[in-house]
Amino acid sequence: KLGALVLTFSPLIVFLIAVISTLAIVIGKKENWSVTDSLYFGFITATTVGYGDFRPSTRRGKWLAIIIAMFGLMLTGIVVALAVESASQAYAAIKEQATAR
């Protein structure tokens, strides 16, 4: 059940990760950051942690960072929804086993 659900959402998850990574690298090129630093910035921004050690200085970079955050919120929502569904299914299975006894 859950495997099918994860399989259904995996293209969307991969797409969101690809968009976040691409936008982060675009920002990093403008800011002269390494690819590693760019990806770090992108995923820190996408998860809304925002340590502040890297931040864009250009107007375009700032707008792209906002877009990264929005895509990150979508990605986080999907991952949390899948985790909740997994916990719900596990709870239902435990409950079903208890009532079968």
Side-chain angles (χ1 to χ4, degrees), residues 11-78:
L12 181 57
I13 292 169
V14 169
F15 171 75
L16 291 171
I17 290 171
V19 168
I20 290 166
S21 299
T22 302
L23 292 175
I25 290 170
V26 167
I27 293 170
K29 283 192 184 286
K30 286 286 189 187
E31 301 291 334
N32 294 318
W33 299 337
S34 69
V35 172
T36 304
D37 288 343
S38 300
L39 292 173
Y40 166 79
F41 165 78
F43 284 92
I44 292 302
T45 302
T47 57
T48 68
V49 172
Y51 291 124
D53 48 353
F54 288 94
R55 60 186 184 90
S57 59
T58 64
R59 177 180 282 168
R60 180 179 179 206
K62 291 175 183 180
W63 280 106
L64 291 176
I66 291 169
I67 294 168
I68 288 173
M70 291 169 49
F71 277 106
L73 290 172
M74 287 185 260
L75 178 61
T76 302
I78 291 168

Side-chain angles (χ1 to χ4, degrees), residues 90-101:
Y91 177 75
I94 291 170
K95 189 175 177 184
E96 184 178 309
Q97 286 177 350
T99 56
R101 293 180 184 176

Side-chain angles (χ1 to χ4, degrees), residues 1-11 13 82-83 85-87 89-90:
K1 297 175 186 179
L2 182 64
L5 194 58
V6 170
L7 196 58
T8 301
F9 282 97
S10 61
I13 292 169
L82 290 172
E85 181 61 25
S86 174
Q89 287 182 13

